[in-house]
């Protein structure tokens, strides 16, 4: 499972690098007199991929915003219950979102949807990064809930 989370982290980093390269190409292109077609769209798709693929590694690293002030003031029993409830809600929402994201990927693939810009990119490609990120995030939430149930903090 660590390999899957590491893969999501590497893919997110590659998306960030891709955004940098597309923007750099656009800046250099303007200076030299050429335009990179659909640069803004590509950077937007990669940014969405970066964000969603980075959800699970960020959760595992403890980087998501939490209500630590509230949790630290609770006794251990209620604290575990509040954390478990939050993880259960998050897991439910994550699974719901992942399911519908994959359904959208399948629909875009089935109908052959293309990006509306100059570059006719099949939409299922960038959508699949979003769906993959949501799926791995739901898995990370499930892992955190499992660890909490087994007594880990």
């Amino acid at each position: 499972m660590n390999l899957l989370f590491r893969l999501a982290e590497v893919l997110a980093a590659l998306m960030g690098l891709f955004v940098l390269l597309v923007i750099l190409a656009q800046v250099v292109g303007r200076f030299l007199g050429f335009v990179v077609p659909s640069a803004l769209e590509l950077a937007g798709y990669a940014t969405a991929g970066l964000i969603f693929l980075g959800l699970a590694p960020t959760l595992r690293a403890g980087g998501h915003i939490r209500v630590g002030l509230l949790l630290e003031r609770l006794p251990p029993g209620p604290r575990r219950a509040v954390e478990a409830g939050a993880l259960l809600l998050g897991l439910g929402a994550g699974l719901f979102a992942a399911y519908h994201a994959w359904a959208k990927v399948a629909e875009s693939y089935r109908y052959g949807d293309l990006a509306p810009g100059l570059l006719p990119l099949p939409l299922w490609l960038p959508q699949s990064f979003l769906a993959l990120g949501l799926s791995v995030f739901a898995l990370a939430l499930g892992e955190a809930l499992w660890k909490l149930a087994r007594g880990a903090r």
Side-chain angles (χ1 to χ4, degrees):
M1 187 137 36
N2 285 336
L3 183 63
L4 180 63
F5 294 127
R6 185 71 178 150
L7 176 64
E9 189 175 10
V10 167
L11 285 173
L14 288 174
M15 292 287 170
L17 180 63
F18 182 77
V19 170
L20 171 75
L21 292 175
V22 166
I23 292 172
L24 187 61
Q26 186 73 350
V27 169
V28 170
R30 284 184 183 171
F31 182 71
L32 298 176
F34 68 87
V35 175
V36 177
S38 298
L40 188 58
E41 277 181 352
L42 291 173
Y45 294 144
T47 301
L50 182 156
I51 290 167
F52 283 91
L53 286 166
L55 286 173
T58 304
L59 176 72
R60 293 185 90 218
H64 286 288
I65 297 172
R66 298 182 60 183
V67 190
L69 274 172
L70 171 68
L71 288 175
E72 290 169 2
R73 295 180 193 274
L74 291 174
R79 177 187 176 137
R80 289 176 57 81
V82 169
E83 284 188 82
L87 286 169
L88 266 173
L89 283 172
L91 178 60
L95 289 171
F96 180 82
Y99 171 79
H100 286 284
W102 283 115
K104 187 65 179 170
V105 169
E107 180 182 300
S108 293
Y109 181 79
R110 183 171 49 251
Y111 293 119
D113 289 342
L114 299 174
L118 295 173
L119 183 66
L121 179 72
L123 279 179
W124 67 267
L125 285 170
Q127 289 171 347
S128 63
F129 288 113
L130 183 141
L132 178 63
L134 284 169
S135 300
V136 176
F137 182 55
L139 189 60
L141 286 166
E143 178 193 47
L145 185 60
W146 176 256
K147 285 180 177 178
L148 183 68
R150 296 197 60 191
R153 209 165 160 218

